Amino acid sequence: MAKAVTLKKALVIMAVIAVAGVAYALYVWYKPARDVKDEKAVSITAQQIFDAYSKDEKSANTLYLDKAIQVSGEVKSIKTNQQGKTVVMLKTGDEMFGVQCTLKEAAALKEGDQVTIKGICTGYLMDVVLIDCFVVK
């Protein structure tokens, strides 16, 4: 009799955990996408953010990671990634690396243009990476 009660309690606890897990998964799945256009952004130049990450990635992460960043600089290159999105690389003092901005929508840009791009900083992988970007000017 005691085993039956213990088994029922265990089944109820497992059912509650399963329902909570499904509810959380649905919440995350249907959560609206973040729109950086309406967020207040940290304004910085491409060189400044690149230098901050190059010198001390940990402290730069506390300042910029997962925040809206408005970065200004010169377009070094424009490419298309595997998802068909436009990726703009901004120049820094480093010949190999820079600030990589993946645009949500294509923009009329060319190499050498001075631009200001707003996006979400996802960290540093030899380049400073910004996603969900749009061109401010």
Side-chain angles (χ1 to χ4, degrees):
M1 187 76 151
K3 286 184 181 181
V5 172
T6 306
L7 181 61
K8 283 183 182 179
K9 285 182 183 178
L11 289 174
V12 168
I13 290 170
M14 288 177 19
V16 168
I17 291 171
V19 168
V22 169
Y24 180 74
L26 289 173
Y27 168 75
V28 170
W29 183 265
Y30 289 107
K31 183 177 162 183
R34 182 175 171 186
D35 188 7
V36 75
K37 283 185 181 180
D38 301 328
E39 292 184 36
K40 183 173 171 71
V42 175
S43 292
I44 195 165
T45 67
Q47 186 65 53
Q48 289 170 328
I49 195 168
F50 183 80
D51 288 345
Y53 270 101
S54 296
K55 289 178 184 156
D56 187 357
E57 184 176 357
K58 187 175 180 180
S59 71
N61 276 338
T62 62
L63 295 171
Y64 307 117
L65 187 65
D66 202 33
K67 293 188 173 93
I69 305 294
Q70 187 166 304
V71 63
S72 301
E74 182 180 339
V75 176
K76 179 178 182 178
S77 65
I78 301 170
K79 298 181 180 176
T80 303
N81 67 12
Q82 293 173 341
Q83 290 80 30
K85 294 190 177 195
T86 303
V87 179
V88 177
M89 182 67 74
L90 299 179
K91 281 186 183 178
T92 62
D94 191 301
E95 289 295 318
M96 298 285 291
F97 307 108
V99 178
Q100 176 182 308
C101 307
T102 304
L103 302 179
K104 280 184 118 173
E105 301 169 357
L109 296 173
K110 61 185 184 305
E111 291 180 17
D113 284 351
Q114 288 293 324
V115 296
T116 300
I117 296 175
K118 188 175 180 182
I120 300 167
C121 181
T122 60
Y124 180 67
L125 300 169
M126 304 307 278
D127 295 314
V128 178
V129 180
L130 275 66
I131 61 167
D132 295 336
C133 300
F134 69 95
V135 177
V136 175
K137 63 175 184 169

